[in-house]
């Protein structure tokens, strides 16, 4: 799968997850964070697809933001939602971090 496809998929997962969190619990922060990170992934994917600059960096930023919010919560609580979000962020950090490293 291409980098832009991965960015689009991660964006869809995070936006859908934020929406589901809002529907289930009424959590406005869930929907705001989910859509913000999803839009960052989507914008990164779009910029990668159209061969514009900063696509990898935007997707990497989305992974850093997601990981910064979810990894500490997953370690503290051990609940499934933060754990899955942490795994998504680690996957994004590995994929987009490696791609960024190759551009240096």
């Amino acid at each position: 799968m291409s980098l832009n496809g991965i960015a689009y998929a991660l964006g869809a997962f995070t936006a859908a997850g934020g929406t589901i969190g809002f529907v289930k619990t009424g959590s406005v922060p869930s929907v705001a964070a989910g859509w913000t990170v999803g839009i960052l992934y989507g914008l990164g994917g779009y910029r990668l697809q159209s061969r514009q600059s900063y696509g990898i960096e935007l997707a990497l930023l989305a992974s850093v933001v997601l990981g910064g919010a979810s990894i500490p919560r997953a370690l503290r609580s051990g609940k499934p939602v933060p754990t899955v979000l942490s795994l998504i962020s680690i996957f994004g950090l590995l994929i987009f971090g490696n791609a960024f490293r190759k551009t240096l």
Side-chain angles (χ1 to χ4, degrees):
M1 182 177 258
S2 64
L3 285 176
N4 62 311
I6 292 170
Y8 286 142
L10 294 180
F13 286 143
T14 55
T19 303
I20 291 169
F22 176 74
V23 168
K24 287 177 99 174
T25 64
S27 171
V28 174
S30 289
V31 75
W35 276 94
T36 300
V37 171
I39 288 169
L40 280 173
Y41 275 127
L43 185 58
Y46 173 76
R47 293 188 71 85
L48 284 165
Q49 181 179 7
S50 58
R51 301 192 194 293
Q52 296 177 4
S53 58
Y54 301 112
I56 293 171
E57 291 85 347
L58 282 169
L60 184 58
L61 174 65
S63 298
V64 168
V65 169
L66 182 60
S70 64
I71 291 172
R73 283 189 315 154
L75 293 174
R76 265 194 316 269
S77 70
K79 293 183 178 177
V81 171
T83 302
V84 170
L85 290 173
S86 298
L87 293 174
I88 290 172
S89 72
I90 290 168
F91 176 74
L93 286 167
L94 291 172
I95 295 294
F96 298 113
N98 189 43
F100 179 73
R101 182 187 58 82
K102 289 180 181 178
T103 65
L104 298 176

